[in-house]
Every structure is written in C-alpha cells, then in structure tokens.
Amino acid sequence: MSGSHFHSVLVTGANRGIGLELVKQLLELREPPKWVFATCRDPHGGRIQELRSLASKHPGLVILQLESTDEASINAAAKEAEVHLAGSGLNLLINNAGVMPPSTLESVTKEDMLSVYRINVVGPMLVTKAFLPMLKAAAKRSSRKGLSCSRAAIINVSTIGSSIAKPPPMVMFPVISYRCSKTALNMLTRCQALEYKDDGILCAALHPGWVKTELGTDKADLTVQESVQGIIRVLSSLCEEQNSRLVDWEGRIVPW
Ligand code: NDP
C-alpha cells in the first residue's frame, strides 16, 4: 500500500458480498479514505444491517440509495456525494453491483438477456456518467502524475468468464446472459479508457476471483476476505500498464 492513498471511494452494491467487504477493508486501512460512499438498493431494507452498523462507527462512511436500473436514483446519489465532497472530487469509482441469474443457451430468454444487460452494463455506464465530473475534478486537483487509483479511476468489476480470447468451457460456466453482459462491460471499460486517459482517469476491468458470495456460491475457491485483500493490493498498484485491461485479484492481466 506504500505511496497510495484513496481520498474518496464509491462502491456500488455495497450491502453484501464483495462490495460490503471492500467497504470494510477500505475503512480498516492504516490511512483510510476520508469518504467511502457505499451504495445499496434499499437503505431501509433488512439486508443492510452490517453496513448500517459500520456507518455508525465511521463518520466518513456514507450510505447512498442507488438502483442501477433507475437513472433518477443514480443522479440523486451523485448529487448527494457531491455535497459531501465539496469540490474535492471522487478518486475511485468501483462499479461492483451485478447479477448472475441462471441461464443456459437452451433456457435463456430475450427478457433475461435484456434485464441482465441493463443491470450489468447500462448500470455502470450511467453511474460513470453521473460521477464523471467528480472523477475529472479529482484527477485535475491531484498533485500525482500519470494514472492511478489514488488520482482518479473507474474500476468495472467483470469476470474471467467474459473473455473471448480464453473462455472457460460452457459446462463449467453456462450463464450465457451474464457472460455476454460482462463482455460488453469490458468493451465499455475499453472505450472509457480511450476517452478518459487524457483526463487522467485510469479505467480497468477487474476479475475478483471465484468468491464465496451469494453470486459465487459456497463452492467458490476464495473467501470474500481473501479476494478483497488481493483487490485492494491490486488497486493500490494499478498504473498506465494496466489501464484499459482486464486484471485479476492477484494483479495478473487476463486476455479478453
Ligand atoms: P452478490 O450477489 O453477493 O452481491 C451483488 C450486489 O449487487 C448486492 O449488493 C446487490 O444488491 C447488488 N445489486 C444487484 N442488482 C442491483 C441493481 N439492479 N442495482 C443496484 N445494485 C444491485 O455478488 P458478488 O459480491 O459476488 O459480486 C459482486 C461483483 O463481482 C459482481 O459484479 C459480479 O459479477 C462480480 N464477480 C463475482 C464473482 C464471484 O465469484 N462472486 C466472480 C466474478 C465476478 P441487493 O442486495 O439489493 O440485491
């Protein structure tokens, strides 16, 4: 972690799974961010107790309502974050929220494909648009040169199952709507990287490993703690070399 400090971070889908653990471990850093914005769909629902209890101990943790398929909720979250940031900008945006409903080539429907695309691709696209002015402000204000998560970055949480160059076999990973959506998310990442490089914003897709969460199931290889320890290490080391790439939780570049 030497030399890197995230002044402000926003994590979507932060009430459980990888998103919640990211928030926890960011707050436990020796030099924690001043602001951690944790978004969830239902801040008053039953599935955010852990996040709420963290927020009661950490004044810099702000819970924001954000539903990826609802542009008004995304824009309202951006407005609220802007008030807290007071012109200092947002350093790190982690588009983590996502879904993986079962869908094989035989069972998948038009509705499945479109609904997963809306959450996994349109969501991160809209979230990034809404927070872009804050990311640009952070990059501009930073005394750091080059690209890094300490300066300004968009991290889109993807999966190795999205790879066209090295796809896992269908029997191992038959979730067609999910795989297609994450491949599209990779292209979104690449386009964002091409567009925002000159603004000083790093853009990368991230594979968190196969992680024991509701999405990853309890058969997965990694605990959420192991995955997120790796992710935070990787985030603190990302630079020009990994810009516009798919990187895994151990820092390896995955061919996409
Ligand atoms: P979980 O199912 O544990 O958590 C998913 C999170 O996304 C929840 O907070 C959920 O909120 C939120 N979410 C779902 N739909 C929406 C929506 N429409 N709007 C806003 N938030 C939403 O998943 P993981 O933690 O495992 O996954 C996190 C990310 O990591 C995903 O993008 C996933 O694709 C990726 N990933 C995970 C792997 C794994 O093995 N676990 C492997 C590769 C990639 P709510 O509680 O309200 O449903």
Side-chain angles (χ1 to χ4, degrees), residues 36-54:
V36 177
F37 300 100
T39 83
C40 62
R41 290 199 273 195
D42 183 5
H44 307 292
R47 303 195 81 184
I48 77 145
Q49 278 97 339
E50 246 189 293
L51 194 55
R52 234 189 265 130
S53 120
L54 274 177

Side-chain angles (χ1 to χ4, degrees), residues 2 9 30 83 88 90 156 185 218 239:
S2 62
V9 184
R30 196 146 35 101
V83 172
S88 62
L90 177 70
N156 293 323
L185 180 66
D218 56 9
C239 60

Side-chain angles (χ1 to χ4, degrees), residues 13-19 41 47 66-69 96-99 119 157-159 178 182 207-211 213-216:
N15 58 309
R16 59 189 172 95
I18 295 168
R41 290 199 273 195
R47 303 195 81 184
L66 189 152
E67 159 61 60
S68 302
T69 59
N96 163 75
V99 290
I119 298 170
V157 181
S158 186
T159 166
Y178 179 73
K182 293 290 189 179
H207 168 59
W210 185 21
V211 191
T213 62
E214 276 183 43
L215 187 151

Side-chain angles (χ1 to χ4, degrees), residues 165-183:
K166 256 191 150 181
M170 283 302 281
V171 291
M172 280 175 64
F173 204 53
V175 274
I176 190 72
S177 55
Y178 179 73
R179 288 177 73 154
C180 291
S181 72
K182 293 290 189 179
T183 306

